[in-house]
């Protein structure tokens, strides 16, 4: 699985958009980009994933550059409850019994302040 | 919403005990996983299962076993608990629908302390 690079920490004011970058310059053609977050003492929470096109769901938007070497997770209106560690993961998608483990790096600690 | 439920949030056991961690998911997912999470080491995969009665070793299976008798339930067993198995244990599940790009959904974890 391709390695990802994220800033260790970011701040955001409540109500503003939080834009979390991720670099995955060695990503291959059939690797998906996933974002998870983990609030202290809880399990990781799935946010969104994508391959090439930008994706949006009720939680966030995922913007993937045309060359797929980087992506940005956007939380459009951050709240205090969005304070968490955010993990960007790339994972190979394939059939078969080898399902692909998730490798969580150090992630980005996002702090939303009032 | 996907619901993955782990039987205990906190558990304290003694060295040498046999420990059972239970995980149940309600989304009819085929795949289930057990990870442990330790500071500075991230998530490490212990075992996973892609079908009832099927299991495959992950990266750190030593000292653990698993059981999947029913589709919705995946149990992690510490055969003889040791202090180096003190950790946060996370269960996850995912669907096999389509390609294996379906996301894994996690429970809230069990913080296990071995004394």
């Amino acid at each position: 699985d391709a390695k990802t690079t994220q800033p260790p920490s970011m701040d955001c004011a409540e109500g503003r958009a939080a834009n979390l970058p991720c670099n995955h310059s060695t990503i291959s053609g059939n690797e998906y980009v996933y974002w998870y977050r983990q609030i202290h003492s809880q399990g990781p929470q799935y946010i969104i994933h994508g391959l090439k096109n930008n994706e949006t769901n009720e939680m966030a938007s995922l913007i993937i550059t045309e060359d797929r070497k980087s992506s940005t997770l956007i939380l459009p209106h951050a709240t205090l409850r969005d304070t968490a560690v955010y993990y960007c993961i790339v994972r190979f998608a394939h059939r078969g019994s080898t399902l692909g483990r998730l490798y969580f790096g150090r992630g980005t600690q996002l702090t939303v302040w009032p | 919403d996907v619901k993955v439920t782990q039987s205990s949030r906190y558990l304290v056991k003694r060295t040498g005990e046999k420990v059972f961690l239970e995980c149940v998911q309600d989304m009819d997912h085929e795949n289930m996983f057990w990870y442990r999470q330790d500071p500075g080491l991230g998530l490490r995969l212990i075992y996973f299962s892609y079908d009832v009665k099927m299991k495959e070793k992950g990266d750190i299976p030593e000292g653990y076993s698993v059981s999947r008798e029913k589709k919705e339930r995946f149990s992690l067993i510490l055969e003889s608990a040791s202090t180096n198995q003190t950790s946060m244990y996370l269960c996850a599940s995912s669907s096999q629908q389509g390609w294996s790009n379906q996301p894994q959904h996690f429970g809230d974890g069990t913080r296990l302390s071995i004394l």
Side-chain angles (χ1 to χ4, degrees):
Chain A
D1 290 334
K3 185 177 176 181
T4 62
T5 305
Q6 299 177 254
S9 63
M10 294 182 67
D11 292 337
C12 178
E14 190 176 21
R16 303 296 294 269
N19 298 296
L20 291 92
C22 180
N23 183 287
H24 32 79
S25 58
T26 59
I27 193 170
S28 63
N30 51 6
E31 284 184 310
Y32 281 73
V33 180
Y34 294 80
W35 282 85
Y36 283 77
R37 72 182 182 184
Q38 189 169 21
I39 296 168
H40 184 62
S41 297
Q42 296 183 18
Q45 179 187 20
Y46 164 74
I47 301 173
I48 199 166
H49 74 287
L51 182 64
K52 296 180 188 177
N53 300 320
N54 299 337
E55 302 286 345
T56 296
N57 63 20
E58 65 279 2
M59 288 183 70
S61 295
L62 173 60
I63 308 299
I64 303 174
T65 57
E66 195 168 339
D67 63 6
R68 301 186 70 241
K69 293 183 185 298
S70 66
S71 61
T72 301
L73 178 75
I74 300 172
L75 308 178
H77 304 288
T79 71
L80 300 179
R81 289 183 295 179
D82 292 322
T83 292
V85 179
Y86 287 77
Y87 297 99
C88 168
I89 300 157
V90 291
R91 188 165 74 91
F92 185 54
H94 51 82
R95 288 190 182 277
S97 65
T98 305
L99 302 173
R101 65 269 280 127
L102 289 177
Y103 289 109
F104 283 58
R106 293 190 180 272
T108 296
Q109 170 66 58
L110 174 69
T111 302
V112 181
W113 44 274
Chain B
D1 277 356
V2 175
K3 186 72 174 174
V4 179
T5 303
Q6 295 185 229
S7 53
S8 305
R9 289 298 306 276
Y10 300 93
L11 206 54
V12 180
K13 296 291 182 181
R14 294 201 175 276
T15 304
E17 280 192 69
K18 191 169 186 176
V19 181
F20 294 85
L21 302 183
E22 305 288 342
C23 175
V24 176
Q25 50 93 5
D26 66 357
M27 284 302 292
D28 202 36
H29 284 170
E30 295 83 2
N31 308 325
M32 296 188 76
F33 307 80
W34 276 106
Y35 293 86
R36 61 178 284 179
Q37 185 175 31
D38 301 287
L41 296 176
L43 259 68
R44 291 181 290 168
L45 181 66
I46 304 171
Y47 268 96
F48 64 95
S49 168
Y50 55 90
D51 201 353
V52 175
K53 297 193 185 293
M54 304 302 288
K55 61 184 178 184
E56 290 205 19
K57 293 179 180 179
D59 299 319
I60 51 163
E62 296 79 19
Y64 303 94
S65 62
V66 289
S67 172
R68 185 130 182 240
E69 297 296 318
K70 293 185 178 181
K71 191 175 184 181
E72 67 271 18
R73 187 179 297 269
F74 193 34
S75 303
L76 179 70
I77 303 152
L78 284 66
E79 298 291 343
S80 177
S82 64
T83 54
N84 63 11
Q85 292 178 310
T86 291
S87 185
M88 167 77 108
Y89 289 87
L90 291 160
C91 175
S93 72
S94 70
S95 169
Q96 283 184 8
Q97 183 181 12
W99 290 83
S100 62
N101 61 309
Q102 296 300 318
Q104 295 178 23
H105 297 271
F106 287 81
D108 277 336
T110 295
R111 192 166 292 280
L112 175 65
S113 296
I114 307 295
L115 305 179

